[in-house]
Amino acid sequence: MKDYLDPRNAEGMPNLADSAFAMDFLLSVKNGIRNYGFAIAETASPELRTILTKQMDTAMDLHAEIADFMIKKGWLNPSDFKTQYEVDLKAAETAVQIAQMNLFPIDTDRRGMFATPNK
């Protein structure tokens, strides 16, 4: 990928971005579920434990909904390691290609491109 401004290089990028956002959302919800578990174990109040348990149940339902959506889209393959490996490999290769792009050229001189006040 030499020219990052060429529209041909953006092919498939929205799908990759969506899958990355969905995975981040899934992991955030999973982290929240874990934190609810810690909070439930640490609280001494039965009322608070009940509230936290309900919130954790809701978070687990959300996690299942996100995971099902990702599976349907082909972004997550928890029961097919080979397919998931290919998805992860493509995402890693794309990340490496993006990291290798020269997004900030050495010559950043912008003289003449902007209006300059009279001296």
Side-chain angles (χ1 to χ4, degrees), residues 38-55:
F38 286 136
I40 290 167
E42 295 295 325
T43 188
S45 166
E47 295 85 13
L48 183 56
R49 191 175 297 119
T50 301
I51 291 168
L52 291 172
T53 301
K54 287 179 184 176
Q55 289 180 339

Side-chain angles (χ1 to χ4, degrees), residues 46-91:
E47 295 85 13
L48 183 56
R49 191 175 297 119
T50 301
I51 291 168
L52 291 172
T53 301
K54 287 179 184 176
Q55 289 180 339
M56 186 172 73
D57 288 341
T58 302
M60 288 191 302
D61 291 341
L62 178 60
H63 183 277
E65 190 176 332
I66 297 166
D68 290 344
F69 174 76
M70 291 179 70
I71 290 167
K72 187 174 86 174
K73 289 286 199 173
W75 300 335
L76 183 65
N77 303 285
S79 58
D80 186 357
F81 174 77
K82 185 176 181 185
T83 305
Q84 186 61 44
Y85 177 78
E86 291 168 3
V87 169
D88 291 343
L89 187 61
K90 180 178 167 95

Side-chain angles (χ1 to χ4, degrees), residues 19-41:
S19 68
F21 298 146
M23 181 58 78
D24 185 54
F25 189 25
L26 184 73
L27 293 175
S28 295
V29 171
K30 185 180 286 192
N31 189 39
I33 292 168
R34 186 195 62 171
N35 290 339
Y36 279 126
F38 286 136
I40 290 167

